[in-house]
Amino acid sequence: MTSRAVTPRSAALRPAPPRELPGAEPPRVIVLWCPDWPVTAASRAAGLGADALLALIDRNLVFASSSAARAEGVSRGLRLREAQSRCPALTVLDYDPALDARAFEPIIAGVEELVPGVEVLRPGVCAVRVRGAARYYGGEKAAALALLGRIEELGGRGARAGIADGLFTAEQAARRGAAAVQIVPPAGSPGFLAPLDVGLLDDP
């Protein structure tokens, strides 16, 4: 999986945690994920409510849609006309990646007030090293809950955390956990990843 790093102004001068090196033991990290971040950023900028029927369009295709729109059958990859036929009340906005990044800057600044050295994987997803945070907050789960609480205060609705050895496993844990914090134990990544579709490795 590849991701484009976005460096907000608030994090521009701070060192990010190093990524895994080939053959090296991956560091233990917390990945913080704000579901539907493009929709959250766009709806907030447009003054729409959280329950808006909203689709973001990129090159005439649905790039992202709100949970309310998904309930009406509007999913990523649909052509605009098909999305509108499925949901006539759909609000349509152009997808703006720059807006995504700008809207995420306050979230990063808030997280960095609690834990230094935040790495932005892309707007809506960031990571921090577990070791220092867990020591300060009294454990991995306590650290993750503190960071999620800060994100929620700043408007990151429904944020989730995954803790694991390495960025990839931690992000998958954040996305697939039944609870707000999903912890993969040390050396448990192979067992956690084994049931997942290998196609995830090619998902941008």
Side-chain angles (χ1 to χ4, degrees):
M1 173 181 287
T2 57
S3 60
R4 184 174 59 188
V6 178
T7 305
R9 289 188 297 273
S10 60
L13 300 180
R14 301 193 180 188
R19 292 176 177 271
E20 301 96 310
L21 298 175
E25 192 70 22
R28 196 146 177 84
V29 296
I30 304 174
V31 166
L32 303 162
W33 170 54
C34 298
D36 291 335
W37 181 255
V39 172
T40 297
S43 61
R44 188 177 300 156
L48 301 174
D51 57 350
L53 294 163
L54 174 63
L56 304 182
I57 305 301
D58 183 33
R59 289 170 291 187
N60 206 42
L61 299 175
V62 174
F63 177 83
S65 56
S66 65
S67 58
R70 291 196 296 272
E72 299 292 324
V74 179
S75 57
R76 181 181 172 93
L78 276 183
R79 291 192 175 278
L80 173 58
R81 183 172 296 181
E82 174 64 19
Q84 291 173 319
S85 69
R86 293 187 184 189
C87 182
L90 188 68
T91 297
V92 173
L93 298 174
D94 290 333
Y95 171 58
D96 182 355
L99 172 62
D100 271 10
R102 288 195 306 272
F104 201 50
E105 287 186 11
I107 300 285
I108 295 304
V111 171
E112 286 197 320
E113 289 174 358
L114 303 183
V115 179
V118 179
E119 180 178 5
V120 183
L121 306 183
R122 58 188 172 280
V125 187
C126 63
V128 299
R129 285 285 187 94
V130 167
R131 185 175 177 181
R135 184 187 304 117
Y136 183 81
Y137 288 100
E140 292 183 345
K141 184 174 182 180
L145 288 173
L147 298 177
L148 290 178
R150 184 67 176 129
I151 291 173
E152 194 74 25
E153 291 173 1
L154 294 168
R157 298 189 297 260
R160 303 172 71 86
I163 302 174
D165 300 335
L167 291 170
F168 179 77
T169 305
E171 182 172 350
Q172 299 310 310
R175 290 175 173 274
R176 287 164 174 77
V181 179
Q182 172 76 17
I183 301 176
V184 179
S189 295
F192 174 78
L193 295 174
L196 303 185
D197 191 329
V198 70
L200 287 170
L201 296 173
D202 295 323
D203 186 18

